[in-house]
Amino acid sequence: MTDTRTIRLAQDGFLNRHALGPLAERVRVPRFDPASLRTGIVHLGCGNFHRAHQAVATQAAIEVEGEAGLRWGIASATMRKPDLAHQLARQDRLFTVLQRDAERTHPIVIGSLSEVIFARDDRQGLAARIADPQTAIVSLTVTANGYCLEPASGLLDAAHDDIRHDLAFGRPGQRRDTTELRSVAGILTHGLAQVRAAGHRPPAVISCDNLPGNGAMLRAATAAFAALAGDDALAQWIETQVPFPDTMVDRIVPPPSDQDRTDAQAALGGLRDEAALSAEPWFQWIITDFDGPRPAWDRVGALFVPDVTPFETAKLRMLNGTHMLLAYAGALAGLETIADAARDPVVGTLAARFMLDEQGAAIAFDDDDRRRYAAELMARFRNPAIKHQMDRIGRNGSVKMASRIIEPMRENMLAGRPVPGATLLIACWIRWFTLHEQDELDVALHDPRIDRLAAICRDQRHDYHAQAEAFLTLDDVFGEPLPDHERVVGVVAALLERLDDGDARDVFRAFSVT
Ligand code: CS2
């Protein structure tokens, strides 16, 4: 029996490292002493996904390596969440991941963070941390939006406020105090400039965000920043000397809830964990093989391959793209979570068909693999223990649309395949802005282009054709016009009218009957 009194004696009643000994009897804890970790990884974006994905895999990798693994502690930085950084510090950087499915919840305490940093309070500065010779890896989870790219082209958006701010900051590598830097490209460039000046081996920079060719894209963005900052030699060194492997990352991690905190407290014998979060059991991490030291991730489920592209394309289109349809259509049908939508006979059927027939149509998998992957994905979406709200998955649609929806849609059209699901998805997305504009949307709507997009719906209030035309010609979002542009505009306009006139479910039903 665990002595819960011993556990409760712990500081403030929060999870902390002195409690790990007694806790080991009731819950899975790190099999090393977190206080003995040294930092080998600097992570930008200490969000939920990072904590339930790379932090978990790194913990397992440290465990299999034993003593040698202790060099792989993660210094994890948040740019926007001081409260999370303070709370994690209060808990000795420990937190619980509750792995959940319909049958059971499996808690595991994670202790692989050697430091937690709130970027703006950090005296050392992220660029200097990147330049530390002990830093062998810089990883990132900043969301697609966090890279300051133009969505349709995937190139650095030089007009973005944060990029302009960082370009005005001074020549990369020359200023020591870099805490004012705001953008990923700025922080990386300044850090890498210091590495180059010191003559050290550069760290591998590993993007773990859902973007096609995420490594190549980040390399190009960082080199572009260096060139814009006037240092062509640095740009070229970044292009040729710094490894930027592509990755495919996959684990569904909803925002933490009260239920997570309550369940963690029960699992921890009464200790509180304000940083607890839940995740599905599925874990996947596929990384382009690169030169250079790394934790033993390959021994704990990560896969190093010569080319990530087929996995990444399948995941982005079939998982992330279908996620968007479930969110946009599901919310219009009055459903609350992604699991509700995936389980719904009308919306779920529509999504499954869209995933297989449209999003999966051009994937380099054979038919059996494609079907198996699609069935697994739908089963994961239906996991009732993962309560993912529509606004989380629907947010930043203008950033996600190009790679997840428009690219496969364009390929399907060029190959003569029908695209009813993609057209419906676009109509549902536009409808979110119309309803938002009329104060009738039941979910929160976040998008960096919200003002521009909502204005279209306001200005063209009942002219569905004009709305569809204005959205579909946003070239920073959609790129080149679609092959059959006029016809698509007509179909989207007709759908908008039907969505406005009647019950969204009736509109969707027409798409889900065989
Ligand atoms: C989601 C992803 O928010 C989104 O865009 O589609 O966060 C998704 O849950 C993960 O990529 C799953 O690996």
Side-chain angles (χ1 to χ4, degrees), residues 130 135-140 188-197 200-207 215-220 222-223 226 233-246 289-292:
I130 290 171
T135 302
I137 289 182
V138 177
S139 52
L140 299 94
L188 281 176
T189 306
H190 280 258
L192 291 170
Q194 291 184 30
V195 173
R196 179 164 174 259
H200 293 143
R201 175 192 189 123
V205 183
I206 308 183
S207 161
M217 165 285 301
L218 182 55
R219 170 190 285 126
T222 311
L234 176 63
Q236 209 193 344
W237 181 82
I238 289 171
E239 288 277 5
T240 55
Q241 304 302 314
V242 183
F244 281 88
D246 285 329
D289 210 356
F290 64 92
D291 263 351

mmCIF file of all heavy atoms in Angstrom, residues 130 135-140 188-197 200-207 215-220 222-223 226 233-246 289-292:
data_model
loop_
_atom_site.group_PDB
_atom_site.id
_atom_site.type_symbol
_atom_site.label_atom_id
_atom_site.label_comp_id
_atom_site.label_asym_id
_atom_site.label_seq_id
_atom_site.Cartn_x
_atom_site.Cartn_y
_atom_site.Cartn_z
ATOM 1 N N ILE A 130 20.225 28.042 -28.049
ATOM 2 C CA ILE A 130 20.416 27.265 -29.276
ATOM 3 C C ILE A 130 21.912 27.138 -29.577
ATOM 4 O O ILE A 130 22.391 26.110 -30.053
ATOM 5 C CB ILE A 130 19.656 27.938 -30.454
ATOM 6 C CG1 ILE A 130 18.152 27.779 -30.248
ATOM 7 C CG2 ILE A 130 20.095 27.389 -31.811
ATOM 8 C CD1 ILE A 130 17.296 28.584 -31.211
ATOM 9 N N THR A 135 23.683 21.835 -26.882
ATOM 10 C CA THR A 135 22.394 21.701 -27.576
ATOM 11 C C THR A 135 22.620 20.982 -28.899
ATOM 12 O O THR A 135 23.159 21.562 -29.840
ATOM 13 C CB THR A 135 21.763 23.095 -27.835
ATOM 14 O OG1 THR A 135 21.609 23.751 -26.578
ATOM 15 C CG2 THR A 135 20.415 22.980 -28.522
ATOM 16 N N ALA A 136 22.194 19.740 -28.958
ATOM 17 C CA ALA A 136 22.394 18.967 -30.197
ATOM 18 C C ALA A 136 21.143 18.999 -31.056
ATOM 19 O O ALA A 136 21.197 18.709 -32.252
ATOM 20 C CB ALA A 136 22.761 17.531 -29.861
ATOM 21 N N ILE A 137 20.012 19.336 -30.430
ATOM 22 C CA ILE A 137 18.745 19.335 -31.165
ATOM 23 C C ILE A 137 17.918 20.555 -30.771
ATOM 24 O O ILE A 137 17.838 20.912 -29.587
ATOM 25 C CB ILE A 137 17.960 18.042 -30.856
ATOM 26 C CG1 ILE A 137 18.690 16.871 -31.523
ATOM 27 C CG2 ILE A 137 16.500 18.132 -31.315
ATOM 28 C CD1 ILE A 137 18.082 15.560 -31.377
ATOM 29 N N VAL A 138 17.331 21.180 -31.774
ATOM 30 C CA VAL A 138 16.332 22.226 -31.522
ATOM 31 C C VAL A 138 15.047 21.701 -32.141
ATOM 32 O O VAL A 138 15.007 21.409 -33.338
ATOM 33 C CB VAL A 138 16.724 23.554 -32.207
ATOM 34 C CG1 VAL A 138 15.640 24.604 -31.987
ATOM 35 C CG2 VAL A 138 18.061 24.046 -31.687
ATOM 36 N N SER A 139 14.021 21.530 -31.330
ATOM 37 C CA SER A 139 12.762 21.029 -31.907
ATOM 38 C C SER A 139 11.694 22.112 -31.759
ATOM 39 O O SER A 139 11.830 23.039 -30.954
ATOM 40 C CB SER A 139 12.347 19.713 -31.247
ATOM 41 O OG SER A 139 12.339 19.845 -29.846
ATOM 42 N N LEU A 140 10.644 21.987 -32.570
ATOM 43 C CA LEU A 140 9.620 23.040 -32.573
ATOM 44 C C LEU A 140 8.220 22.471 -32.697
ATOM 45 O O LEU A 140 7.982 21.574 -33.517
ATOM 46 C CB LEU A 140 9.794 23.978 -33.779
ATOM 47 C CG LEU A 140 11.081 24.758 -33.926
ATOM 48 C CD1 LEU A 140 12.048 24.001 -34.813
ATOM 49 C CD2 LEU A 140 10.812 26.122 -34.505
ATOM 50 N N LEU A 188 15.863 31.415 -34.573
ATOM 51 C CA LEU A 188 16.759 30.392 -35.132
ATOM 52 C C LEU A 188 17.954 31.040 -35.816
ATOM 53 O O LEU A 188 19.090 30.618 -35.627
ATOM 54 C CB LEU A 188 16.009 29.530 -36.155
ATOM 55 C CG LEU A 188 15.092 28.443 -35.586
ATOM 56 C CD1 LEU A 188 14.348 27.751 -36.720
ATOM 57 C CD2 LEU A 188 15.907 27.423 -34.796
ATOM 58 N N THR A 189 17.686 32.081 -36.616
ATOM 59 C CA THR A 189 18.782 32.692 -37.365
ATOM 60 C C THR A 189 19.816 33.291 -36.410
ATOM 61 O O THR A 189 21.019 33.109 -36.586
ATOM 62 C CB THR A 189 18.248 33.777 -38.331
ATOM 63 O OG1 THR A 189 17.240 33.188 -39.134
ATOM 64 C CG2 THR A 189 19.346 34.301 -39.232
ATOM 65 N N HIS A 190 19.347 33.996 -35.395
ATOM 66 C CA HIS A 190 20.298 34.591 -34.452
ATOM 67 C C HIS A 190 21.074 33.509 -33.697
ATOM 68 O O HIS A 190 22.272 33.636 -33.462
ATOM 69 C CB HIS A 190 19.582 35.535 -33.485
ATOM 70 C CG HIS A 190 19.312 36.878 -34.105
ATOM 71 N ND1 HIS A 190 20.068 37.989 -33.828
ATOM 72 C CD2 HIS A 190 18.387 37.270 -35.016
ATOM 73 C CE1 HIS A 190 19.618 39.027 -34.536
ATOM 74 N NE2 HIS A 190 18.584 38.607 -35.259
ATOM 75 N N GLY A 191 20.383 32.435 -33.317
ATOM 76 C CA GLY A 191 21.067 31.336 -32.617
ATOM 77 C C GLY A 191 22.078 30.665 -33.523
ATOM 78 O O GLY A 191 23.238 30.442 -33.134
ATOM 79 N N LEU A 192 21.669 30.372 -34.744
ATOM 80 C CA LEU A 192 22.573 29.672 -35.660
ATOM 81 C C LEU A 192 23.759 30.559 -36.042
ATOM 82 O O LEU A 192 24.869 30.073 -36.261
ATOM 83 C CB LEU A 192 21.808 29.203 -36.903
ATOM 84 C CG LEU A 192 20.799 28.065 -36.618
ATOM 85 C CD1 LEU A 192 19.895 27.802 -37.827
ATOM 86 C CD2 LEU A 192 21.525 26.776 -36.210
ATOM 87 N N ALA A 193 23.538 31.864 -36.107
ATOM 88 C CA ALA A 193 24.656 32.775 -36.404
ATOM 89 C C ALA A 193 25.714 32.659 -35.311
ATOM 90 O O ALA A 193 26.921 32.659 -35.590
ATOM 91 C CB ALA A 193 24.148 34.210 -36.522
ATOM 92 N N GLN A 194 25.265 32.530 -34.065
ATOM 93 C CA GLN A 194 26.226 32.379 -32.961
ATOM 94 C C GLN A 194 26.954 31.040 -33.050
ATOM 95 O O GLN A 194 28.152 30.950 -32.772
ATOM 96 C CB GLN A 194 25.511 32.494 -31.617
ATOM 97 C CG GLN A 194 24.989 33.894 -31.320
ATOM 98 C CD GLN A 194 24.360 33.972 -29.915
ATOM 99 O OE1 GLN A 194 24.748 33.261 -29.002
ATOM 100 N NE2 GLN A 194 23.378 34.840 -29.761
ATOM 101 N N VAL A 195 26.242 29.993 -33.439
ATOM 102 C CA VAL A 195 26.871 28.670 -33.593
ATOM 103 C C VAL A 195 27.975 28.770 -34.640
ATOM 104 O O VAL A 195 29.097 28.290 -34.457
ATOM 105 C CB VAL A 195 25.835 27.610 -34.053
ATOM 106 C CG1 VAL A 195 26.516 26.286 -34.367
ATOM 107 C CG2 VAL A 195 24.744 27.423 -33.017
ATOM 108 N N ARG A 196 27.632 29.405 -35.754
ATOM 109 C CA ARG A 196 28.582 29.494 -36.865
ATOM 110 C C ARG A 196 29.816 30.304 -36.448
ATOM 111 O O ARG A 196 30.953 29.907 -36.704
ATOM 112 C CB ARG A 196 27.888 30.152 -38.058
ATOM 113 C CG ARG A 196 28.788 30.309 -39.253
ATOM 114 C CD ARG A 196 27.962 30.601 -40.488
ATOM 115 N NE ARG A 196 28.820 30.890 -41.614
ATOM 116 C CZ ARG A 196 29.085 32.108 -42.068
ATOM 117 N NH1 ARG A 196 28.527 33.171 -41.489
ATOM 118 N NH2 ARG A 196 29.878 32.279 -43.086
ATOM 119 N N ALA A 197 29.555 31.422 -35.756
ATOM 120 C CA ALA A 197 30.672 32.274 -35.340
ATOM 121 C C ALA A 197 31.594 31.521 -34.389
ATOM 122 O O ALA A 197 32.814 31.694 -34.419
ATOM 123 C CB ALA A 197 30.131 33.540 -34.687
ATOM 124 N N HIS A 200 31.055 25.885 -33.943
ATOM 125 C CA HIS A 200 30.539 24.627 -33.404
ATOM 126 C C HIS A 200 29.754 23.847 -34.441
ATOM 127 O O HIS A 200 29.303 24.412 -35.443
ATOM 128 C CB HIS A 200 29.619 24.896 -32.204
ATOM 129 C CG HIS A 200 30.337 25.456 -31.034
ATOM 130 N ND1 HIS A 200 29.777 26.408 -30.219
ATOM 131 C CD2 HIS A 200 31.573 25.212 -30.539
ATOM 132 C CE1 HIS A 200 30.643 26.735 -29.279
ATOM 133 N NE2 HIS A 200 31.732 26.009 -29.448
ATOM 134 N N ARG A 201 29.553 22.567 -34.158
ATOM 135 C CA ARG A 201 28.678 21.766 -35.008
ATOM 136 C C ARG A 201 27.244 22.264 -34.801
ATOM 137 O O ARG A 201 26.786 22.390 -33.660
ATOM 138 C CB ARG A 201 28.780 20.300 -34.550
ATOM 139 C CG ARG A 201 27.841 19.385 -35.265
ATOM 140 C CD ARG A 201 27.755 18.008 -34.582
ATOM 141 N NE ARG A 201 27.001 17.146 -35.475
ATOM 142 C CZ ARG A 201 27.446 16.010 -35.961
ATOM 143 N NH1 ARG A 201 28.620 15.544 -35.598
ATOM 144 N NH2 ARG A 201 26.705 15.307 -36.788
ATOM 145 N N PRO A 202 26.509 22.540 -35.879
ATOM 146 C CA PRO A 202 25.149 23.058 -35.676
ATOM 147 C C PRO A 202 24.205 21.970 -35.168
ATOM 148 O O PRO A 202 24.379 20.794 -35.496
ATOM 149 C CB PRO A 202 24.731 23.506 -37.079
ATOM 150 C CG PRO A 202 25.622 22.782 -38.017
ATOM 151 C CD PRO A 202 26.897 22.477 -37.286
ATOM 152 N N PRO A 203 23.222 22.363 -34.368
ATOM 153 C CA PRO A 203 22.221 21.386 -33.928
ATOM 154 C C PRO A 203 21.323 20.998 -35.100
ATOM 155 O O PRO A 203 21.221 21.738 -36.082
ATOM 156 C CB PRO A 203 21.414 22.175 -32.887
ATOM 157 C CG PRO A 203 21.567 23.605 -33.280
ATOM 158 C CD PRO A 203 22.928 23.730 -33.901
ATOM 159 N N ALA A 204 20.678 19.833 -34.988
ATOM 160 C CA ALA A 204 19.633 19.488 -35.955
ATOM 161 C C ALA A 204 18.370 20.239 -35.541
ATOM 162 O O ALA A 204 18.030 20.290 -34.356
ATOM 163 C CB ALA A 204 19.383 17.990 -35.944
ATOM 164 N N VAL A 205 17.692 20.836 -36.506
ATOM 165 C CA VAL A 205 16.479 21.609 -36.211
ATOM 166 C C VAL A 205 15.280 20.791 -36.690
ATOM 167 O O VAL A 205 15.142 20.509 -37.882
ATOM 168 C CB VAL A 205 16.521 22.979 -36.913
ATOM 169 C CG1 VAL A 205 15.286 23.797 -36.525
ATOM 170 C CG2 VAL A 205 17.797 23.739 -36.556
ATOM 171 N N ILE A 206 14.427 20.391 -35.734
ATOM 172 C CA ILE A 206 13.377 19.422 -36.060
ATOM 173 C C ILE A 206 11.991 20.038 -35.848
ATOM 174 O O ILE A 206 11.524 20.185 -34.713
ATOM 175 C CB ILE A 206 13.521 18.150 -35.191
ATOM 176 C CG1 ILE A 206 14.953 17.607 -35.301
ATOM 177 C CG2 ILE A 206 12.511 17.102 -35.614
ATOM 178 C CD1 ILE A 206 15.198 16.323 -34.538
ATOM 179 N N SER A 207 11.351 20.383 -36.946
ATOM 180 C CA SER A 207 9.978 20.890 -36.851
ATOM 181 C C SER A 207 9.037 19.720 -36.605
ATOM 182 O O SER A 207 9.112 18.705 -37.291
ATOM 183 C CB SER A 207 9.591 21.596 -38.155
ATOM 184 O OG SER A 207 8.178 21.696 -38.236
ATOM 185 N N GLY A 215 10.561 20.297 -42.532
ATOM 186 C CA GLY A 215 11.986 20.594 -42.364
ATOM 187 C C GLY A 215 12.493 21.498 -43.474
ATOM 188 O O GLY A 215 13.128 22.534 -43.222
ATOM 189 N N ALA A 216 12.199 21.119 -44.700
ATOM 190 C CA ALA A 216 12.674 21.906 -45.853
ATOM 191 C C ALA A 216 12.081 23.313 -45.808
ATOM 192 O O ALA A 216 12.759 24.310 -46.098
ATOM 193 C CB ALA A 216 12.275 21.196 -47.147
ATOM 194 N N MET A 217 10.822 23.372 -45.419
ATOM 195 C CA MET A 217 10.157 24.672 -45.343
ATOM 196 C C MET A 217 10.814 25.567 -44.278
ATOM 197 O O MET A 217 11.067 26.752 -44.498
ATOM 198 C CB MET A 217 8.672 24.390 -45.043
ATOM 199 C CG MET A 217 7.820 25.498 -44.579
ATOM 200 S SD MET A 217 8.081 25.995 -42.875
ATOM 201 C CE MET A 217 7.747 24.508 -41.957
ATOM 202 N N LEU A 218 11.159 24.958 -43.138
ATOM 203 C CA LEU A 218 11.773 25.748 -42.065
ATOM 204 C C LEU A 218 13.196 26.161 -42.447
ATOM 205 O O LEU A 218 13.636 27.281 -42.142
ATOM 206 C CB LEU A 218 11.763 24.947 -40.755
ATOM 207 C CG LEU A 218 12.319 25.662 -39.524
ATOM 208 C CD1 LEU A 218 11.621 26.985 -39.279
ATOM 209 C CD2 LEU A 218 12.181 24.767 -38.281
ATOM 210 N N ARG A 219 13.899 25.258 -43.124
ATOM 211 C CA ARG A 219 15.243 25.615 -43.599
ATOM 212 C C ARG A 219 15.137 26.832 -44.539
ATOM 213 O O ARG A 219 15.868 27.821 -44.380
ATOM 214 C CB ARG A 219 15.883 24.451 -44.341
ATOM 215 C CG ARG A 219 17.173 24.876 -45.045
ATOM 216 C CD ARG A 219 17.706 23.813 -45.987
ATOM 217 N NE ARG A 219 18.323 22.730 -45.257
ATOM 218 C CZ ARG A 219 18.002 21.447 -45.392
ATOM 219 N NH1 ARG A 219 17.061 21.093 -46.224
ATOM 220 N NH2 ARG A 219 18.629 20.525 -44.695
ATOM 221 N N ALA A 220 14.208 26.761 -45.488
ATOM 222 C CA ALA A 220 14.068 27.855 -46.454
ATOM 223 C C ALA A 220 13.690 29.153 -45.744
ATOM 224 O O ALA A 220 14.212 30.234 -46.058
ATOM 225 C CB ALA A 220 13.028 27.487 -47.512
ATOM 226 N N THR A 222 14.302 30.034 -42.622
ATOM 227 C CA THR A 222 15.406 30.534 -41.806
ATOM 228 C C THR A 222 16.481 31.155 -42.697
ATOM 229 O O THR A 222 16.999 32.245 -42.416
ATOM 230 C CB THR A 222 15.992 29.387 -40.945
ATOM 231 O OG1 THR A 222 14.912 28.723 -40.294
ATOM 232 C CG2 THR A 222 16.949 29.896 -39.904
ATOM 233 N N ALA A 223 16.794 30.463 -43.790
ATOM 234 C CA ALA A 223 17.793 31.015 -44.715
ATOM 235 C C ALA A 223 17.271 32.322 -45.331
ATOM 236 O O ALA A 223 18.034 33.292 -45.491
ATOM 237 C CB ALA A 223 18.114 29.999 -45.809
ATOM 238 N N ALA A 226 17.841 35.062 -42.885
ATOM 239 C CA ALA A 226 19.255 35.466 -42.830
ATOM 240 C C ALA A 226 19.589 36.357 -44.032
ATOM 241 O O ALA A 226 20.278 37.373 -43.890
ATOM 242 C CB ALA A 226 20.156 34.233 -42.807
ATOM 243 N N ALA A 233 26.069 34.891 -46.538
ATOM 244 C CA ALA A 233 26.953 33.764 -46.206
ATOM 245 C C ALA A 233 26.287 32.887 -45.146
ATOM 246 O O ALA A 233 26.326 31.657 -45.212
ATOM 247 C CB ALA A 233 28.295 34.285 -45.715
ATOM 248 N N LEU A 234 25.658 33.542 -44.176
ATOM 249 C CA LEU A 234 24.941 32.779 -43.145
ATOM 250 C C LEU A 234 23.787 32.004 -43.782
ATOM 251 O O LEU A 234 23.562 30.833 -43.468
ATOM 252 C CB LEU A 234 24.412 33.738 -42.066
ATOM 253 C CG LEU A 234 23.553 33.112 -40.976
ATOM 254 C CD1 LEU A 234 24.343 32.098 -40.150
ATOM 255 C CD2 LEU A 234 22.958 34.194 -40.050
ATOM 256 N N ALA A 235 23.079 32.669 -44.690
ATOM 257 C CA ALA A 235 21.956 31.996 -45.367
ATOM 258 C C ALA A 235 22.446 30.732 -46.057
ATOM 259 O O ALA A 235 21.836 29.664 -45.955
ATOM 260 C CB ALA A 235 21.309 32.945 -46.379
ATOM 261 N N GLN A 236 23.571 30.845 -46.695
ATOM 262 C CA GLN A 236 24.085 29.682 -47.419
ATOM 263 C C GLN A 236 24.551 28.590 -46.472
ATOM 264 O O GLN A 236 24.343 27.391 -46.714
ATOM 265 C CB GLN A 236 25.219 30.120 -48.323
ATOM 266 C CG GLN A 236 25.267 29.202 -49.518
ATOM 267 C CD GLN A 236 26.545 29.367 -50.286
ATOM 268 O OE1 GLN A 236 27.262 30.352 -50.106
ATOM 269 N NE2 GLN A 236 26.821 28.407 -51.141
ATOM 270 N N TRP A 237 25.155 28.991 -45.371
ATOM 271 C CA TRP A 237 25.593 28.022 -44.358
ATOM 272 C C TRP A 237 24.370 27.297 -43.779
ATOM 273 O O TRP A 237 24.374 26.078 -43.602
ATOM 274 C CB TRP A 237 26.365 28.777 -43.272
ATOM 275 C CG TRP A 237 26.908 27.922 -42.167
ATOM 276 C CD1 TRP A 237 28.059 27.194 -42.177
ATOM 277 C CD2 TRP A 237 26.318 27.737 -40.872
ATOM 278 N NE1 TRP A 237 28.227 26.563 -40.970
ATOM 279 C CE2 TRP A 237 27.179 26.878 -40.152
ATOM 280 C CE3 TRP A 237 25.160 28.203 -40.247
ATOM 281 C CZ2 TRP A 237 26.920 26.479 -38.846
ATOM 282 C CZ3 TRP A 237 24.886 27.815 -38.943
ATOM 283 C CH2 TRP A 237 25.757 26.958 -38.256
ATOM 284 N N ILE A 238 23.307 28.035 -43.537
ATOM 285 C CA ILE A 238 22.075 27.410 -43.032
ATOM 286 C C ILE A 238 21.552 26.410 -44.063
ATOM 287 O O ILE A 238 21.172 25.282 -43.729
ATOM 288 C CB ILE A 238 21.020 28.497 -42.701
ATOM 289 C CG1 ILE A 238 21.448 29.275 -41.446
ATOM 290 C CG2 ILE A 238 19.628 27.887 -42.511
ATOM 291 C CD1 ILE A 238 20.620 30.503 -41.139
ATOM 292 N N GLU A 239 21.549 26.809 -45.313
ATOM 293 C CA GLU A 239 21.062 25.923 -46.382
ATOM 294 C C GLU A 239 21.857 24.629 -46.471
ATOM 295 O O GLU A 239 21.299 23.573 -46.732
ATOM 296 C CB GLU A 239 21.186 26.621 -47.756
ATOM 297 C CG GLU A 239 20.198 27.745 -48.002
ATOM 298 C CD GLU A 239 18.846 27.240 -48.496
ATOM 299 O OE1 GLU A 239 18.657 26.010 -48.562
ATOM 300 O OE2 GLU A 239 17.989 28.094 -48.796
ATOM 301 N N THR A 240 23.162 24.722 -46.258
ATOM 302 C CA THR A 240 23.994 23.556 -46.565
ATOM 303 C C THR A 240 24.516 22.805 -45.346
ATOM 304 O O THR A 240 24.822 21.627 -45.439
ATOM 305 C CB THR A 240 25.227 23.985 -47.404
ATOM 306 O OG1 THR A 240 25.921 25.010 -46.682
ATOM 307 C CG2 THR A 240 24.820 24.539 -48.769
ATOM 308 N N GLN A 241 24.630 23.471 -44.196
ATOM 309 C CA GLN A 241 25.302 22.826 -43.065
ATOM 310 C C GLN A 241 24.381 22.410 -41.921
ATOM 311 O O GLN A 241 24.787 21.644 -41.058
ATOM 312 C CB GLN A 241 26.387 23.756 -42.483
ATOM 313 C CG GLN A 241 27.422 24.206 -43.480
ATOM 314 C CD GLN A 241 28.144 23.025 -44.113
ATOM 315 O OE1 GLN A 241 28.556 22.096 -43.425
ATOM 316 N NE2 GLN A 241 28.256 23.029 -45.438
ATOM 317 N N VAL A 242 23.173 22.943 -41.882
ATOM 318 C CA VAL A 242 22.321 22.645 -40.728
ATOM 319 C C VAL A 242 21.297 21.580 -41.123
ATOM 320 O O VAL A 242 20.579 21.761 -42.103
ATOM 321 C CB VAL A 242 21.586 23.928 -40.247
ATOM 322 C CG1 VAL A 242 20.756 23.629 -39.005
ATOM 323 C CG2 VAL A 242 22.570 25.048 -39.989
ATOM 324 N N PRO A 243 21.249 20.466 -40.381
ATOM 325 C CA PRO A 243 20.232 19.468 -40.709
ATOM 326 C C PRO A 243 18.831 19.954 -40.298
ATOM 327 O O PRO A 243 18.647 20.425 -39.174
ATOM 328 C CB PRO A 243 20.621 18.240 -39.868
ATOM 329 C CG PRO A 243 21.934 18.561 -39.219
ATOM 330 C CD PRO A 243 22.120 20.041 -39.272
ATOM 331 N N PHE A 244 17.902 19.870 -41.218
ATOM 332 C CA PHE A 244 16.490 20.209 -40.946
ATOM 333 C C PHE A 244 15.643 19.017 -41.390
ATOM 334 O O PHE A 244 14.973 19.094 -42.429
ATOM 335 C CB PHE A 244 16.058 21.427 -41.768
ATOM 336 C CG PHE A 244 16.487 22.765 -41.247
ATOM 337 C CD1 PHE A 244 17.712 23.311 -41.607
ATOM 338 C CD2 PHE A 244 15.648 23.522 -40.423
ATOM 339 C CE1 PHE A 244 18.099 24.572 -41.163
ATOM 340 C CE2 PHE A 244 16.037 24.783 -39.976
ATOM 341 C CZ PHE A 244 17.267 25.308 -40.340
ATOM 342 N N PRO A 245 15.669 17.898 -40.648
ATOM 343 C CA PRO A 245 14.915 16.736 -41.127
ATOM 344 C C PRO A 245 13.408 17.013 -41.193
ATOM 345 O O PRO A 245 12.870 17.744 -40.354
ATOM 346 C CB PRO A 245 15.219 15.664 -40.074
ATOM 347 C CG PRO A 245 15.697 16.408 -38.872
ATOM 348 C CD PRO A 245 16.340 17.655 -39.364
ATOM 349 N N ASP A 246 12.756 16.417 -42.182
ATOM 350 C CA ASP A 246 11.283 16.463 -42.223
ATOM 351 C C ASP A 246 10.737 15.444 -41.228
ATOM 352 O O ASP A 246 11.364 14.415 -40.991
ATOM 353 C CB ASP A 246 10.784 16.056 -43.611
ATOM 354 C CG ASP A 246 10.992 17.146 -44.637
ATOM 355 O OD1 ASP A 246 10.951 18.324 -44.261
ATOM 356 O OD2 ASP A 246 11.192 16.807 -45.817
ATOM 357 N N ASP A 289 16.027 10.519 -41.736
ATOM 358 C CA ASP A 289 17.285 10.230 -41.069
ATOM 359 C C ASP A 289 18.258 11.396 -41.281
ATOM 360 O O ASP A 289 18.274 11.991 -42.355
ATOM 361 C CB ASP A 289 17.880 8.936 -41.624
ATOM 362 C CG ASP A 289 18.695 8.253 -40.556
ATOM 363 O OD1 ASP A 289 18.843 8.830 -39.460
ATOM 364 O OD2 ASP A 289 19.184 7.146 -40.814
ATOM 365 N N PHE A 290 18.995 11.737 -40.247
ATOM 366 C CA PHE A 290 19.942 12.851 -40.367
ATOM 367 C C PHE A 290 21.215 12.508 -39.617
ATOM 368 O O PHE A 290 21.232 11.610 -38.770
ATOM 369 C CB PHE A 290 19.319 14.148 -39.822
ATOM 370 C CG PHE A 290 19.014 14.115 -38.347
ATOM 371 C CD1 PHE A 290 19.933 14.561 -37.402
ATOM 372 C CD2 PHE A 290 17.782 13.644 -37.886
ATOM 373 C CE1 PHE A 290 19.642 14.525 -36.033
ATOM 374 C CE2 PHE A 290 17.479 13.612 -36.525
ATOM 375 C CZ PHE A 290 18.410 14.049 -35.610
ATOM 376 N N ASP A 291 22.264 13.227 -39.952
ATOM 377 C CA ASP A 291 23.551 13.046 -39.286
ATOM 378 C C ASP A 291 23.536 13.794 -37.981
ATOM 379 O O ASP A 291 23.159 14.964 -37.961
ATOM 380 C CB ASP A 291 24.650 13.703 -40.144
ATOM 381 C CG ASP A 291 25.326 12.671 -41.004
ATOM 382 O OD1 ASP A 291 25.061 11.473 -40.807
ATOM 383 O OD2 ASP A 291 26.116 13.096 -41.881
ATOM 384 N N GLY A 292 24.022 13.151 -36.927
ATOM 385 C CA GLY A 292 24.129 13.898 -35.678
ATOM 386 C C GLY A 292 23.495 13.135 -34.539
ATOM 387 O O GLY A 292 22.649 12.261 -34.746
#
